[in-house]
Amino acid sequence: MHFRTGAAAFAAVALMNGVAQAQAQAQAQAQAQAQEPPPPPPPPQTSEIAELRARVDALETRVARTEAPRESRTSTALTVSGYVHVDWVALRQSSQNEVNPSTGEPLNENRFLIHRARLRLETDQGLLHGALVVDANTIRGLQVRPWNMEASIKWPPDIRYKAPAAVAQSSSKEAFVIVTAGLLMTPFGFDVPELENERPFLERTTMSSELVPQSYDLGLRVLGGYRIVNYAFAIVNGDPIGESTFPGRDPNKSKDLVFRVGTSSEIIDGLRFDAGFSGLNGRGFHKGNAPTKDQLVWRDQNEDGQVQQTELQVITGSPATPSQGFQRFALGADARVHLRLPKLGELTLRAEIVRAKNLDRGTFTADPIATTRDLRELGWYLGVTQELTRWGMIGVRYDTYDPDADARDQRAFGLVPKDSSLETWSFMGQVRWKTARLLAQYDHRSNALGRDVTGAPTTLEDDSFTLRAVVGF
Amino acid sequence: MRLRGLVFALVALVALVAATSCDATAPDEATDARLRVKNGQFFRGGVPAEEGGGPRVKSVTVSPLVHPGQVGRTCAGELDAAATSVALTLEGDVGYWIVPAGLPSVLAAGSPTFTAELSFSSTLPAGRQMFVAHAVDGAGHFGAALAKPLDVTVTARPAGRFVISLKWENAADLDLHVTDPRGVEIWKRNINSYEPPPPDMPEAPNTPHPGGLLDVDSNASCVADGRHAENVVYADAPPSGHYTVRVDTSSLCGTPTSHWRVEGILGGVSLGAAEGLATELDTRFPHDRGAGVLALELDVP
């Protein structure tokens, strides 16, 4: 019953719909007949077709000429940039008009010097990116050397290449990844990869200079990010170019793994927050000794200038000792807050802390095989900078680094704990104009390298005042 | 106003940090000091005044004979129990050296000990010098002085009938080669002109061996000894004839060049002298018998 009623209703609706369509067609035909019909187009002539074809060919040729050079320019685009840091060390308390008796190097530091002059050649070919940076300086005499040599593949191709520090303090609406190989910036923390021409203070902290000297190492790196998250992973030799033992080389097959995972976001208008967590794991190298022969040594014990039998000693030779490896690691966290103040400019707070084991590769190179114990390092810094309109900036930074948290000092009746920390207060002021900066910085350093009259460790004076002129191009 | 506040805060912070840095020690290589102590901390100026309650130096052992430029002389001693360091100096020197006290000796359990490696300036004047030690306690009180006399002897040219001397000015390792009229070469690996007799003609014990003798291989293997001089000495009359003197630059030991002078003196009269400059080029040749640049040729009547 229900089925029969539904079919009848459907038939009625279809009938009504068909009637309505027929009425609409009739009305349209009546309107068309009421209007003037358009004249039929003349049949195309052969000559006209040939003329049109010739015009199309000409246009295609012009387009091809216009686009071909543009494409060529893109594939060979080369950007040349650089900067020069000219320093005048007006005061350095540790400076002396002498030479180091061990190395023969002059101890005077009150001087003019080219701290760094960098020339950067860069090409961005969409999917591919390459960079070559050459460094020249006069720190230890005139020196010219390659500094950064890397080749990258990036995706998506139209994104602009970013260095690790830039990735760490920016967010991206679309996901990107940059895979880089070569002599590249180690992506650990923020102070290590921060570029020299962007750092507000003169130099890196002692912590960074000791743990990752000169920042650059050979290896493979993956950088990327999406929205507020960014990341960097790298596998490197573990021998940065500023290392004191095998700079730029690798004495063992083990590679160091480095990572940093971070976030960067604008919390509210004018307030940005960046933070990250870093890690490094690898193996260090202890150099073995070559075999030695027996030696006959004369020690003039009674100082009469004559050889007596009792003054002759035999120093027996020793067999070769094998080289050994040792485990090392570092964990770190870094954070920055950028607050844009009206009229004055940006206020930036920065902080970082690193805890490491057997990682020091600078002045206090860690070798747990030689010391027969692990060397635990701890370093951190806290800094604040304030822009003074677009013309200037002032800042303060405190950094401390302990190369050996378990250091001991031999005193009269036993070993006592020793604080071997190196602390630096840096006070900086600078004026800026276009790409130029004039920077003045006073560094107040504390250490445990000297002794007071009681024989206890104390600071060996090493404050400095430096003026730096910077020009970029 | 806000800018002025920031600058004021920065200046105040600098002043605060500077005020906390009064107890630092000034770095000083002390190359003008007559006494140098390896791994000691140098303080320029006179030793602070002794205090009645200051710790004593119980004993000091130091060689009483030194010569200018001498390096690596050992000094050791014992201190009162309250001492934490010892101040060492030569009387009238430009400063003093602080050496931390070490563990007590086995024989005196309550007495801290110290050891120091001493070097003496090459300009140290000849004569008697007073080596002075003061013990210092943990509060910085200096105790009474313990003085030890040192007799400084300037190394003169060795006595002999005929002396051929080589002198130079720095820590380079130069070697004197002298070839006598018989063709025997005297140098660091053949320090005299003695030629042993054939095996079938053994000589009697205590037979005198007149001839030339090299006194020392100075700065051998770049171990600086402060002498910078070598001499071949003939105690008695040398063989007559033609002598050839060579100067071999074994190593410059980190110095860019070394200026040298050779002289032959027979009975107090100079037979001839020559000067030269050793450069890095001179180190590239073999350093065996016959090595070196020809410096001087002498004829002894």
Side-chain angles (χ1 to χ4, degrees):
Chain A
M1 183 65 185
H2 288 295
F3 174 74
R4 220 178 282 166
T5 307
F10 178 77
V13 169
L15 183 63
M16 289 171 66
N17 193 24
V19 170
Q21 283 182 353
Q23 286 177 345
Q25 284 177 358
Q27 285 177 356
Q29 282 177 359
Q31 285 175 355
Q33 284 172 356
Q35 293 174 354
E36 188 70 23
Q45 301 294 319
T46 309
S47 59
E48 283 180 331
I49 293 172
E51 184 187 348
L52 287 171
R53 190 168 290 161
R55 287 176 63 184
V56 169
D57 289 345
L59 284 170
E60 283 182 349
T61 306
R62 283 177 60 187
V63 169
R65 279 180 190 165
T66 311
E67 290 184 350
R70 192 176 296 164
E71 193 176 59
S72 169
R73 271 200 304 272
T74 306
S75 61
T76 59
L78 184 68
T79 308
V80 180
S81 60
Y83 57 90
V84 179
H85 286 182
V86 183
D87 286 7
W88 177 21
V89 184
L91 165 73
R92 183 86 191 228
Q93 287 182 317
S94 61
S95 182
Q96 297 178 58
N97 297 333
E98 289 290 346
V99 293
N100 185 325
S102 302
T103 63
E105 293 287 325
L107 293 173
N108 176 46
E109 291 293 339
N110 294 330
R111 58 175 177 153
F112 292 95
L113 73 156
I114 306 297
H115 208 110
R116 49 182 73 89
R118 302 268 166 84
L119 182 67
R120 180 180 178 86
L121 305 176
E122 187 175 13
T123 177
D124 192 338
Q125 304 175 12
L127 190 64
L128 303 175
H129 178 272
L132 167 65
V133 178
V134 177
D135 171 73
N137 65 70
T138 63
I139 297 171
R140 286 190 173 83
L142 183 59
Q143 184 182 29
V144 180
R145 56 182 174 169
W147 187 257
N148 173 209
M149 297 178 287
E150 60 179 46
S152 305
I153 297 175
K154 54 193 175 72
W155 186 265
D158 58 344
I159 62 155
R160 194 177 169 195
Y161 173 82
K162 289 179 183 176
V167 171
Q169 52 184 354
S170 64
S171 54
S172 172
K173 289 181 180 176
E174 60 176 339
F176 71 94
V177 61
I178 304 171
V179 181
T180 305
L183 178 58
L184 43 82
M185 184 75 86
T186 307
F188 182 88
F190 183 78
D191 193 38
V192 169
E194 187 173 27
L195 296 174
E196 275 98 350
N197 57 336
E198 294 174 1
R199 187 192 314 118
F201 296 93
L202 281 179
E203 300 301 327
R204 291 188 169 82
T205 59
T206 309
M207 171 186 76
S208 302
S209 301
E210 289 293 313
L211 297 179
V212 192
Q214 308 280 24
S215 300
Y216 285 87
D217 200 351
L218 284 145
L220 179 72
R221 184 184 67 206
V222 180
L223 277 177
Y226 180 53
R227 295 185 182 276
I228 64 168
V229 177
N230 54 72
Y231 60 86
F233 298 95
I235 176 169
V236 293
N237 280 342
D239 295 87
I241 57 174
E243 194 197 37
S244 55
T245 51
F246 297 95
R249 301 179 68 184
D250 194 359
N252 59 9
K253 64 182 179 183
S254 174
K255 300 291 168 269
D256 283 11
L257 300 174
V258 191
F259 77 88
R260 182 184 182 279
V261 178
T263 181
S264 176
S265 64
E266 184 138 357
I267 300 170
I268 57 173
D269 188 31
L271 176 64
R272 202 174 81 238
F273 176 72
D274 314 320
F277 178 71
S278 304
L280 183 151
N281 189 41
R283 286 186 71 76
F285 183 77
H286 166 81
K287 191 167 68 173
N289 294 317
T292 60
K293 296 178 178 176
D294 292 349
Q295 284 185 320
L296 186 65
V297 175
W298 170 49
R299 296 190 194 285
D300 191 10
Q301 290 168 344
N302 59 4
E303 298 172 358
D304 63 351
Q306 304 294 319
V307 179
Q308 275 96 35
Q309 198 169 4
T310 55
E311 295 174 341
L312 295 175
Q313 297 177 8
V314 175
I315 299 177
T316 54
S318 59
T321 57
S323 299
Q324 298 180 57
F326 56 85
Q327 193 68 27
R328 63 189 182 196
F329 78 88
L331 292 173
D334 60 273
R336 283 155 308 287
V337 177
H338 309 265
L339 177 63
R340 200 163 55 245
L341 300 176
K343 296 182 181 176
L344 211 51
E346 190 174 80
L347 170 72
T348 303
L349 301 170
R350 51 170 63 202
E352 188 168 345
I353 184 168
V354 177
R355 163 83 170 82
K357 188 178 86 173
N358 301 330
L359 186 63
D360 197 314
R361 294 172 284 190
T363 309
F364 305 93
T365 299
D367 188 344
I369 308 296
T371 56
T372 67
R373 63 180 174 84
D374 286 331
L375 291 130
R376 299 184 302 134
E377 298 101 3
L378 176 67
W380 58 273
Y381 69 81
L382 197 61
V384 55
T385 55
Q386 172 65 59
E387 286 183 332
L388 306 175
T389 70
R390 65 192 173 101
W391 301 108
M393 178 188 281
I394 55 173
V396 182
R397 184 181 69 185
Y398 171 79
D399 76 81
T400 178
Y401 171 69
D402 188 352
D404 182 6
D406 304 307
R408 297 286 185 272
D409 190 42
Q410 179 69 59
R411 303 311 304 272
F413 292 100
L415 283 171
V416 296
K418 175 188 175 186
D419 181 6
S420 54
S421 296
L422 303 132
E423 302 170 8
T424 308
W425 279 95
S426 300
F427 305 94
M428 176 275 300
Q430 60 177 278
V431 291
R432 306 180 292 192
W433 184 67
K434 293 185 176 177
T435 63
R437 288 189 291 160
L438 182 61
L439 194 150
Q441 182 167 312
Y442 185 84
D443 291 307
H444 171 69
R445 299 182 178 89
S446 303
N447 53 51
L449 302 176
R451 297 224 175 240
D452 63 16
V453 292
T454 71
T458 190
T459 291
L460 201 61
E461 291 175 350
D462 196 20
D463 289 7
S464 64
F465 179 70
T466 307
L467 289 168
R468 170 174 290 175
V470 182
V471 176
F473 55 89
Chain B
M1 191 64 190
R2 186 183 290 170
L3 176 61
R4 199 180 302 168
L6 279 171
V7 173
F8 178 77
L10 189 64
V11 171
L13 193 56
V14 172
L16 181 67
V17 170
T20 61
S21 59
C22 298
D23 58 346
T25 301
D28 197 333
E29 287 293 309
T31 48
D32 57 337
R34 288 185 285 165
L35 174 69
R36 291 136 201 200
V37 179
K38 190 176 180 182
N39 297 329
Q41 177 70 57
F42 184 72
F43 289 81
R44 197 162 284 274
V47 178
E50 302 168 11
E51 298 184 26
R56 289 181 308 116
V57 178
K58 287 186 171 179
S59 66
V60 170
T61 305
V62 62
S63 169
L65 295 173
V66 297
H67 63 79
Q70 198 164 24
V71 297
R73 299 290 91 178
T74 304
C75 168
E78 289 183 0
L79 310 170
D80 267 353
T84 57
S85 66
V86 62
L88 305 175
T89 187
L90 285 181
E91 205 170 67
D93 207 352
V94 294
Y96 60 94
W97 298 84
I98 290 289
V99 177
L103 292 174
S105 68
V106 178
L107 299 175
S111 299
T113 61
F114 72 91
T115 56
E117 191 175 311
L118 311 180
S119 298
F120 298 91
S121 166
S122 57
T123 59
L124 193 66
R128 176 154 288 194
Q129 299 278 335
M130 295 306 291
F131 178 75
V132 183
H134 297 260
V136 187
D137 66 15
H141 298 136
F142 283 67
L146 180 64
K148 290 272 185 177
L150 300 181
D151 288 322
V152 181
T153 55
V154 177
T155 308
R157 180 179 290 120
R161 175 68 183 161
F162 181 42
V163 179
I164 300 169
S165 298
L166 165 67
K167 289 186 176 180
W168 64 98
E169 62 184 10
N170 53 20
D173 178 9
L174 304 190
D175 294 317
L176 176 64
H177 291 238
V178 175
T179 306
D180 72 7
R182 294 175 300 161
V184 178
E185 185 167 342
I186 306 169
W187 61 301
K188 64 182 179 184
R189 291 186 196 152
N190 182 44
I191 62 171
N192 57 47
S193 56
Y194 169 67
E195 292 288 298
D200 56 341
M201 297 177 62
E203 62 183 19
N206 300 322
T207 302
H209 299 130
L213 180 70
L214 178 68
D215 60 350
V216 68
D217 180 12
S218 181
N219 290 351
S221 302
C222 293
V223 178
D225 54 19
R227 295 175 188 268
H228 311 157
E230 295 180 7
N231 303 281
V232 169
V233 182
Y234 289 82
D236 301 315
S240 299
H242 190 71
Y243 288 76
T244 305
V245 182
R246 284 190 167 81
V247 176
D248 180 34
T249 307
S250 185
S251 172
L252 288 172
C253 305
T255 61
T257 59
S258 184
H259 179 260
W260 53 259
R261 185 174 194 276
V262 292
E263 187 173 17
I265 296 177
L266 177 65
V269 179
S270 176
L271 294 182
E275 296 184 10
L277 187 70
T279 66
E280 193 271 337
L281 193 64
D282 297 311
T283 65
R284 298 182 184 177
F285 300 101
H287 304 291
D288 213 331
R289 187 184 296 273
V293 295
L294 180 62
L296 196 60
E297 290 187 280
L298 303 170
D299 287 309
V300 173

